[in-house]
Each structure stands twice: as structure tokens, then as C-alpha cells.
Amino acid sequence: DGGITQSPKYLFRKEGQNVTLSCEQNLNHDAMYWYRQDPGQGLRLIYYSQIVNDFQKGDIAEGYSVSREKKESFPLTVTSAQKNPTAFYLCASSPILGTQYFGPGTRLLVL
Amino acid sequence: KNEVEQSPQNLTAQEGEFITINCSYSVGISALHWLQQHPGGGIVSLFMLSSGKKKHGRLIATINIQEKHSSLHITASHPRDSAVYICAAPLSSGGRGGGADGLTFGKGTHLIIQP
């Protein structure tokens, strides 16, 4: 079955620690995205990538980093510089001109 | 940068009622998205539309590009329709219809359909 997988479903981070959220798609989509959702707020764009080895900052990129070494994969690292990392993180992918498909999400909690 | 507003923020209705959720955006676009988010957090794309009307089962989405306004309707609503419905538009006016440079989202409409 084609789709987007995110792992883990829940992730705990200690103060000062970097953590990496995984996102994989087998839909052969060129574009991939990371969004963050906080209670009572709409989703906000962290980073996006339209092609391998290239990515762009979204509205709230500070404290995050990404890589796009393969078309299928777009991991997001939440660095220690992100002061308020507790949130629900959603990965999505799309053809360049098409609908975005979303993964199941990862909930990140700070211990 | 596009800004998206949705209304109402919360909506409770009885089973069978006709539901309307509204969305307006600030910058001209070529397409708008309607999404559904269930309590577990998973998001499903319902519609991407650039003009007129689209229908899928009991869901109908309309858009007026000139007025920068879209509506999502649910006919014969059912408790399983209870979810958060989110409107989204490409971040920038120059963006391609799918929003390949990312989407900006409304805050969502929390819909509860009571039996």
C-alpha cells in the first residue's frame, strides 16, 4: 500500500537533547513538508522540500533542521535550540501540482 | 503571505442537519484544500478545488475565487462526521495550485454531531 509513515508515534525529549523524527513516503512524490500543530492553533509550516538535496524554510524553521538525501525520506531534527518543542508534528507529501497527503503524526513531549 | 480564516470555530448539531463551514483567504490562489482531522490526529485530504463545486458522498465543497471564499457542506450529518475540518491555501499567491511551497491553514472547525 502506498502512503506516508512517521515514526515514532510518541517521542520524549530531555532538555538539551536533539531528536529526529522520521518521515518516509512511497508515493513517488517530489515534494515533502513538515508541519507543527499546537492546541488551538492551525498547522504551521516548518520546512519543505520540492526536490532531493534542496529544502526551504517555512514560517517557524528556527530550532529545526531537515535533510532530503533521498526522494522517499525527509527527516526532521528538533534541536536543543527549539525552546518549546512539545507539539504534534505532521509530515506530508505531494506531487508538485497535487493534493498533499499526510502522515499519522508524531507527538513530541519534553521531559 | 496568505491568511486563512474559518468559521465557526465550534459547531454542535443534531444528526441529520445540514452543516456549513466557511473559509476565507486573503491572497488570490489557484486552489484551496479542505482537510479532516480525527481525534487521534490523523489528517485526510477531502478536497482540492480551484473553481465551482466538488462533491464526494455527503460532502460538498464550493469556492468563489473572486470573493476569496469557500464553503464545506455536509448533508444528512451523522455522528461519524464529528471531527475537525480544516481549510488550507497555498502560502503565496504565486504558488502552484497544490501549494508545493507549503500551505497555510485555518485554525479548524470542531464539529460535533449528536445522535
Side-chain angles (χ1 to χ4, degrees), chain B residues 14-28:
Chain B
Q14 295 299 120
E15 183 173 356
E17 285 189 39
F18 182 81
I19 303 299
T20 295
I21 300 170
N22 294 301
C23 174
S24 61
Y25 50 92
S26 59
V27 177

PDB file of all heavy atoms in Angstrom, chain B residues 14-28:
ATOM      1  N   GLN B  14     -27.409  18.410  15.508  1.00  0.00           N
ATOM      2  CA  GLN B  14     -28.100  17.127  15.648  1.00  0.00           C
ATOM      3  C   GLN B  14     -27.931  16.303  14.378  1.00  0.00           C
ATOM      4  O   GLN B  14     -27.827  16.851  13.266  1.00  0.00           O
ATOM      5  CB  GLN B  14     -29.583  17.356  15.929  1.00  0.00           C
ATOM      6  CG  GLN B  14     -29.895  18.030  17.261  1.00  0.00           C
ATOM      7  CD  GLN B  14     -29.411  17.197  18.435  1.00  0.00           C
ATOM      8  OE1 GLN B  14     -28.585  17.642  19.237  1.00  0.00           O
ATOM      9  NE2 GLN B  14     -29.923  15.983  18.543  1.00  0.00           N
ATOM     10  N   GLU B  15     -27.962  15.014  14.568  1.00  0.00           N
ATOM     11  CA  GLU B  15     -27.860  14.110  13.425  1.00  0.00           C
ATOM     12  C   GLU B  15     -28.916  14.458  12.383  1.00  0.00           C
ATOM     13  O   GLU B  15     -30.070  14.730  12.721  1.00  0.00           O
ATOM     14  CB  GLU B  15     -28.052  12.671  13.900  1.00  0.00           C
ATOM     15  CG  GLU B  15     -27.902  11.617  12.814  1.00  0.00           C
ATOM     16  CD  GLU B  15     -27.935  10.204  13.370  1.00  0.00           C
ATOM     17  OE1 GLU B  15     -28.002  10.040  14.605  1.00  0.00           O
ATOM     18  OE2 GLU B  15     -27.890   9.254  12.550  1.00  0.00           O
ATOM     19  N   GLY B  16     -28.507  14.473  11.134  1.00  0.00           N
ATOM     20  CA  GLY B  16     -29.424  14.769  10.038  1.00  0.00           C
ATOM     21  C   GLY B  16     -29.393  16.220   9.578  1.00  0.00           C
ATOM     22  O   GLY B  16     -29.882  16.526   8.482  1.00  0.00           O
ATOM     23  N   GLU B  17     -28.828  17.100  10.378  1.00  0.00           N
ATOM     24  CA  GLU B  17     -28.803  18.506   9.995  1.00  0.00           C
ATOM     25  C   GLU B  17     -27.828  18.760   8.855  1.00  0.00           C
ATOM     26  O   GLU B  17     -26.850  18.032   8.665  1.00  0.00           O
ATOM     27  CB  GLU B  17     -28.408  19.370  11.197  1.00  0.00           C
ATOM     28  CG  GLU B  17     -29.501  19.536  12.229  1.00  0.00           C
ATOM     29  CD  GLU B  17     -29.122  20.580  13.281  1.00  0.00           C
ATOM     30  OE1 GLU B  17     -28.517  21.605  12.920  1.00  0.00           O
ATOM     31  OE2 GLU B  17     -29.425  20.351  14.461  1.00  0.00           O
ATOM     32  N   PHE B  18     -28.101  19.830   8.131  1.00  0.00           N
ATOM     33  CA  PHE B  18     -27.227  20.303   7.047  1.00  0.00           C
ATOM     34  C   PHE B  18     -26.179  21.224   7.669  1.00  0.00           C
ATOM     35  O   PHE B  18     -26.514  22.173   8.361  1.00  0.00           O
ATOM     36  CB  PHE B  18     -28.069  21.046   6.007  1.00  0.00           C
ATOM     37  CG  PHE B  18     -27.284  21.537   4.825  1.00  0.00           C
ATOM     38  CD1 PHE B  18     -26.972  20.678   3.784  1.00  0.00           C
ATOM     39  CD2 PHE B  18     -26.870  22.859   4.736  1.00  0.00           C
ATOM     40  CE1 PHE B  18     -26.267  21.134   2.672  1.00  0.00           C
ATOM     41  CE2 PHE B  18     -26.157  23.321   3.634  1.00  0.00           C
ATOM     42  CZ  PHE B  18     -25.860  22.459   2.606  1.00  0.00           C
ATOM     43  N   ILE B  19     -24.912  20.927   7.413  1.00  0.00           N
ATOM     44  CA  ILE B  19     -23.808  21.646   8.050  1.00  0.00           C
ATOM     45  C   ILE B  19     -23.087  22.511   7.013  1.00  0.00           C
ATOM     46  O   ILE B  19     -22.840  22.059   5.886  1.00  0.00           O
ATOM     47  CB  ILE B  19     -22.798  20.640   8.642  1.00  0.00           C
ATOM     48  CG1 ILE B  19     -23.473  19.705   9.638  1.00  0.00           C
ATOM     49  CG2 ILE B  19     -21.609  21.370   9.270  1.00  0.00           C
ATOM     50  CD1 ILE B  19     -24.094  20.388  10.828  1.00  0.00           C
ATOM     51  N   THR B  20     -22.739  23.725   7.427  1.00  0.00           N
ATOM     52  CA  THR B  20     -21.927  24.599   6.567  1.00  0.00           C
ATOM     53  C   THR B  20     -20.764  25.158   7.359  1.00  0.00           C
ATOM     54  O   THR B  20     -20.948  25.700   8.451  1.00  0.00           O
ATOM     55  CB  THR B  20     -22.763  25.762   6.008  1.00  0.00           C
ATOM     56  OG1 THR B  20     -23.780  25.230   5.145  1.00  0.00           O
ATOM     57  CG2 THR B  20     -21.881  26.717   5.200  1.00  0.00           C
ATOM     58  N   ILE B  21     -19.584  25.027   6.816  1.00  0.00           N
ATOM     59  CA  ILE B  21     -18.364  25.610   7.390  1.00  0.00           C
ATOM     60  C   ILE B  21     -17.787  26.559   6.352  1.00  0.00           C
ATOM     61  O   ILE B  21     -17.698  26.213   5.174  1.00  0.00           O
ATOM     62  CB  ILE B  21     -17.344  24.511   7.742  1.00  0.00           C
ATOM     63  CG1 ILE B  21     -17.945  23.542   8.770  1.00  0.00           C
ATOM     64  CG2 ILE B  21     -16.054  25.122   8.267  1.00  0.00           C
ATOM     65  CD1 ILE B  21     -17.126  22.289   9.000  1.00  0.00           C
ATOM     66  N   ASN B  22     -17.397  27.740   6.800  1.00  0.00           N
ATOM     67  CA  ASN B  22     -16.928  28.770   5.880  1.00  0.00           C
ATOM     68  C   ASN B  22     -15.441  29.028   6.020  1.00  0.00           C
ATOM     69  O   ASN B  22     -14.865  28.894   7.098  1.00  0.00           O
ATOM     70  CB  ASN B  22     -17.694  30.072   6.118  1.00  0.00           C
ATOM     71  CG  ASN B  22     -19.148  29.925   5.770  1.00  0.00           C
ATOM     72  OD1 ASN B  22     -19.495  29.603   4.647  1.00  0.00           O
ATOM     73  ND2 ASN B  22     -20.010  30.143   6.752  1.00  0.00           N
ATOM     74  N   CYS B  23     -14.847  29.458   4.904  1.00  0.00           N
ATOM     75  CA  CYS B  23     -13.409  29.738   4.870  1.00  0.00           C
ATOM     76  C   CYS B  23     -13.176  30.937   3.971  1.00  0.00           C
ATOM     77  O   CYS B  23     -13.715  30.999   2.863  1.00  0.00           O
ATOM     78  CB  CYS B  23     -12.674  28.516   4.329  1.00  0.00           C
ATOM     79  SG  CYS B  23     -10.911  28.746   4.056  1.00  0.00           S
ATOM     80  N   SER B  24     -12.368  31.867   4.443  1.00  0.00           N
ATOM     81  CA  SER B  24     -11.972  32.992   3.590  1.00  0.00           C
ATOM     82  C   SER B  24     -10.453  33.135   3.647  1.00  0.00           C
ATOM     83  O   SER B  24      -9.819  32.761   4.634  1.00  0.00           O
ATOM     84  CB  SER B  24     -12.654  34.289   4.029  1.00  0.00           C
ATOM     85  OG  SER B  24     -12.283  34.611   5.351  1.00  0.00           O
ATOM     86  N   TYR B  25      -9.892  33.648   2.564  1.00  0.00           N
ATOM     87  CA  TYR B  25      -8.448  33.788   2.495  1.00  0.00           C
ATOM     88  C   TYR B  25      -8.105  35.145   1.905  1.00  0.00           C
ATOM     89  O   TYR B  25      -8.932  35.784   1.264  1.00  0.00           O
ATOM     90  CB  TYR B  25      -7.819  32.644   1.687  1.00  0.00           C
ATOM     91  CG  TYR B  25      -8.452  32.405   0.344  1.00  0.00           C
ATOM     92  CD1 TYR B  25      -7.967  33.023  -0.793  1.00  0.00           C
ATOM     93  CD2 TYR B  25      -9.549  31.564   0.230  1.00  0.00           C
ATOM     94  CE1 TYR B  25      -8.554  32.808  -2.026  1.00  0.00           C
ATOM     95  CE2 TYR B  25     -10.150  31.342  -0.996  1.00  0.00           C
ATOM     96  CZ  TYR B  25      -9.649  31.967  -2.123  1.00  0.00           C
ATOM     97  OH  TYR B  25     -10.251  31.759  -3.330  1.00  0.00           O
ATOM     98  N   SER B  26      -6.881  35.583   2.129  1.00  0.00           N
ATOM     99  CA  SER B  26      -6.552  36.982   1.845  1.00  0.00           C
ATOM    100  C   SER B  26      -5.894  37.207   0.496  1.00  0.00           C
ATOM    101  O   SER B  26      -5.975  38.303  -0.059  1.00  0.00           O
ATOM    102  CB  SER B  26      -5.640  37.537   2.948  1.00  0.00           C
ATOM    103  OG  SER B  26      -4.456  36.762   3.033  1.00  0.00           O
ATOM    104  N   VAL B  27      -5.247  36.190  -0.025  1.00  0.00           N
ATOM    105  CA  VAL B  27      -4.486  36.371  -1.263  1.00  0.00           C
ATOM    106  C   VAL B  27      -5.035  35.443  -2.329  1.00  0.00           C
ATOM    107  O   VAL B  27      -5.330  34.284  -2.051  1.00  0.00           O
ATOM    108  CB  VAL B  27      -2.988  36.057  -1.028  1.00  0.00           C
ATOM    109  CG1 VAL B  27      -2.198  36.164  -2.321  1.00  0.00           C
ATOM    110  CG2 VAL B  27      -2.416  37.000   0.016  1.00  0.00           C
ATOM    111  N   GLY B  28      -5.182  35.962  -3.528  1.00  0.00           N
ATOM    112  CA  GLY B  28      -5.699  35.148  -4.622  1.00  0.00           C
ATOM    113  C   GLY B  28      -4.885  33.888  -4.833  1.00  0.00           C
ATOM    114  O   GLY B  28      -3.663  33.895  -4.762  1.00  0.00           O
TER     115      GLY B  28
END
